[in-house]
Amino acid sequence: MRHGSTVAGIPADLATIARDIGSLLLIESALMGASALVGLAFGEYGVALAFFLAATATLAVGGIARRTFATAPAPQTKHGMVIAAAGWLLTAVFGALPFFLSAHLLSPATAASYIPEGASYAGSSLQYFTNPLHAVFESMSGWTGSGLTMAVHEPSLPRTLLWWRSLMQWVGGVGVIVLTVSILSRPGSGSYTLYRSEAREERIHPSIVSTVRTVWKIFVGYTILAIIVLFGALLVSEPLAPAEAAWQALNHAMTSLATGGFSVTDNSIATYDSPLVETVLLPIMTLGAIAFPIHYAILKNRDFRALLADLQTRWLFVLLGVGIVVLTLQNFQTFAPLLSLRDSAFQFVSALSCTGFQSSPIGQWSAGGKLIMSSAMVLGGAAGSTVGGIKIIRGYTIVRGIRWQFSRVFLPVSAVVTTHIGDRKLDREEMEQEFSEAAIVSLLWVLILIGGSIILSNLVGPGFSYADTLFEVASAQGNVGLSTGITGPSMNPIAEGMLVINMWIGRLEIIPILVFLRSLIYGLNP
C-alpha cells in the first residue's frame, strides 16, 4: 500500500477498515432480517417492526461502507486488529437496536402481555431496554458469548428477543468475523488476516475460507444433535408441552454449544432442578470447549484417540476432573455431599467451558468456592474452540516456559536446547517467543481483571465481598456469564459500562483492543 494513497477521498487504511466493518454489519443486518421473520411467525408484530427497522439501519450503514470502499486494499495485520476491535464494538452497538426499539415501540400493555401466566412479578424485563446502556450490555454479552444479562425475568421478554439473544451467542461463539469470511470472502482477499484478528490460529484446511466453512458445518451438526438430545431430556423430566420443550431445547442447545449461557427460563438451568437435564448438558458444554480441528479429526477419521493425543483436550479433561473434586470438597462445608457433587460438577464444567449456565445459588457459596470458580473462568478451555479466558495452551506454555528457564541455568551457554509443546519441537528462539507471547497476554489479562475487580468493589453495595466482585469481573472478561448477583439493571452505570468493556476485551484477547486504541491516538503508521 503506498503511503498517502486514498480510496473515495479518504486514506486507504481507513477505507480498508470501513469496507470490512461494513461487511460485518451486512451479515448482522441479514440476521436481524431473519429474526424479523421469526417475529412475524410468533405474531409479535411490534417486535418484528423493531427488527425490520434495526436491520434497515444496519444494512444502510454497512452497505454504504462496503460499496463506497469496495476497491480498498486487502487488510494487513494492523488493519485486521482494528477491524476486529471496532467491528465487534459496532456489532454490539447495532445489535442493541432490536432491544432498544422494541422497548420503545411496544406499549406497556403489550409488554405486559408477554409475562407468563401465574408469574410472581408484575413488570416485563422489556422495560429495562429503554435504557440504551442496558441494551448495549445485553448485545455485547450476547455477541461475546458472555451470558450476563439485564433481563431479570427472561420469560417476560417477547420470544423474538429471546431468539435474538440465542442467535447472537450461537453466531458469536464461532465468531462474527468467521461467519463473514465464510460467506463474503474469496481466496486472496485477506481472509487469513481477518481470521487471525479474531484470536484464531488453527487451520483445518490450507484455505481459510474452507476452514471456516468446515467449522460451521461441524457446529451446525452438533447443534442439531444437541437440540434432539435436550428435547428428549426435557420431555422426560419436565411437565412441558412438546412445542415448549422444543423451544427451550432449541435455545439452550444453541447457547450451550456456543458456550454462551443465555437462557429462556427464569433462573437459568436451576429452573429445571433436573439431574437429567444437567447431565445431558455436561457433554454439550464440554464439546464447545474442545478445538474445532480436533472435532474434525474425530469426525473424519473416526479416531477418538485424537482426544487424548491433543495437548489441550487432554489437559481439559484433567482440569475438569481435578476441579470437580476440589470444588466438591470445598462445598462439603456448605451443602450435603450428593448436592455438593452435583452442583460442583455442573458449575465447574460451566465455568471452565465458559458457558455460564447456573444450577446453584453461587452467591451463597463460600469465598473459597468462588475463588476456585474464578480461576476456572480465567483459564477457560481450548484455543480454537468457542470459549473465552486465557486458554489452556497459554497456561501450559507459561508453566513449561518457567521450567525451561530454570533448566537453562544448569546448562552451558553453547548447549542446544529444545523443548516440546504438544507435537511441536521448539528451539531456544521459538520457545522464548512462545513463552513471551503467552506471558504478555496472560499478564495483561490478569492486570485488567484485578483492576476491574478493585473498581467494581468500590461501586457495589456492602452486601458483596471482594470475592464477589472478582468473580463477576472474571465472569465478564472470561465471557462466561455466571453471577453472584451483582449484574442487573439496578447496578451502577459506571460498573455496567466497565463490564461491557471487560466482555469486549475478553472476547478479543486484549491485543486487538490495544492496537485499536493506539490507532485512535497515533494512526496506523509506524
Side-chain angles (χ1 to χ4, degrees), residues 72 97 152 165 187 271 281 407 421 466 490 493:
L97 288 177
V152 178
R165 293 163 84 242
T271 298
L281 283 169
S407 68
I421 295 182
Y466 180 72
S490 62

Side-chain angles (χ1 to χ4, degrees), residues 79-367:
H79 303 116
M81 295 287 185
V82 176
I83 290 165
W88 274 85
L89 183 60
L90 288 175
T91 296
V93 170
F94 279 91
L97 288 177
F99 296 103
F100 182 75
L101 293 174
S102 295
H104 283 279
L105 288 175
L106 269 61
S107 67
T110 303
S113 68
Y114 295 111
I115 301 173
E117 186 177 350
S120 59
Y121 48 88
S124 169
S125 289
L126 184 62
Q127 64 183 308
Y128 300 122
F129 297 122
T130 55
N131 182 331
L133 179 57
H134 293 344
V136 170
F137 184 99
E138 199 77 8
S139 179
M140 180 66 81
S141 184
W143 284 112
T144 59
S146 298
L148 293 169
T149 182
M150 289 292 132
V152 178
H153 300 292
E154 287 93 333
S156 67
L157 292 177
R159 293 210 168 193
T160 314
L161 286 179
L162 291 174
W163 158 258
W164 179 238
R165 293 163 84 242
S166 300
L167 182 63
M168 286 190 297
Q169 291 203 325
W170 191 71
V171 173
V174 177
V176 65
I177 291 178
V178 169
L179 177 62
T180 303
V181 166
S182 70
I183 296 175
L184 297 179
S185 292
R186 299 181 302 276
S189 64
S191 296
Y192 183 54
T193 299
L194 294 176
Y195 183 73
R196 290 190 62 193
S197 73
E198 207 167 53
R200 297 188 181 277
E201 295 278 354
E202 297 75 11
R203 290 177 183 255
I204 294 175
H205 307 292
S207 164
I208 287 300
V209 174
S210 296
T211 292
V212 297
R213 287 175 179 168
T214 296
V215 165
W216 274 106
K217 289 176 184 176
I218 294 170
F219 198 56
V220 170
Y222 279 159
T223 303
I224 294 171
L225 179 62
I227 292 169
I228 294 170
V229 173
L230 272 173
F231 177 68
L234 289 172
L235 283 182
V236 170
S237 64
E238 300 297 315
L240 297 173
E244 181 62 24
W247 165 253
Q248 295 187 18
L250 168 66
N251 284 275
H252 287 143
M254 292 171 69
T255 59
S256 60
L257 191 60
T259 63
F262 272 155
S263 177
V264 295
T265 55
D266 208 8
N267 195 23
S268 191
I269 303 305
T271 298
Y272 301 124
D273 192 21
S274 168
L276 176 60
V277 172
E278 293 168 22
T279 301
V280 165
L281 283 169
L282 288 175
I284 298 174
M285 293 188 292
T286 304
L287 282 175
I290 297 173
F292 281 108
I294 305 305
H295 291 301
Y296 179 74
I298 293 171
L299 293 172
K300 181 181 180 181
N301 302 320
R302 303 293 190 270
D303 183 9
F304 289 91
R305 290 175 297 180
L307 285 172
L308 296 180
D310 177 64
L311 171 69
Q312 290 195 98
T313 310
R314 187 166 64 247
W315 276 103
L316 174 67
F317 291 144
V318 170
L319 291 169
L320 286 174
V322 172
I324 289 170
V325 170
V326 172
L327 187 58
T328 300
L329 293 175
Q330 172 67 39
N331 283 336
F332 274 173
Q333 304 173 31
T334 310
F335 304 103
L338 285 179
L339 184 59
S340 296
L341 175 60
R342 173 184 160 187
D343 284 348
S344 298
F346 187 85
Q347 293 301 173
F348 192 82
V349 173
S350 182
L352 189 64
S353 67
C354 301
T355 304
F357 280 150
Q358 199 154 331
S359 65
S360 178
I362 297 175
Q364 300 174 18
W365 286 17
S366 66

Side-chain angles (χ1 to χ4, degrees), residues 132 145 188 208 404 455:
I208 287 300
W404 178 73
I455 293 172

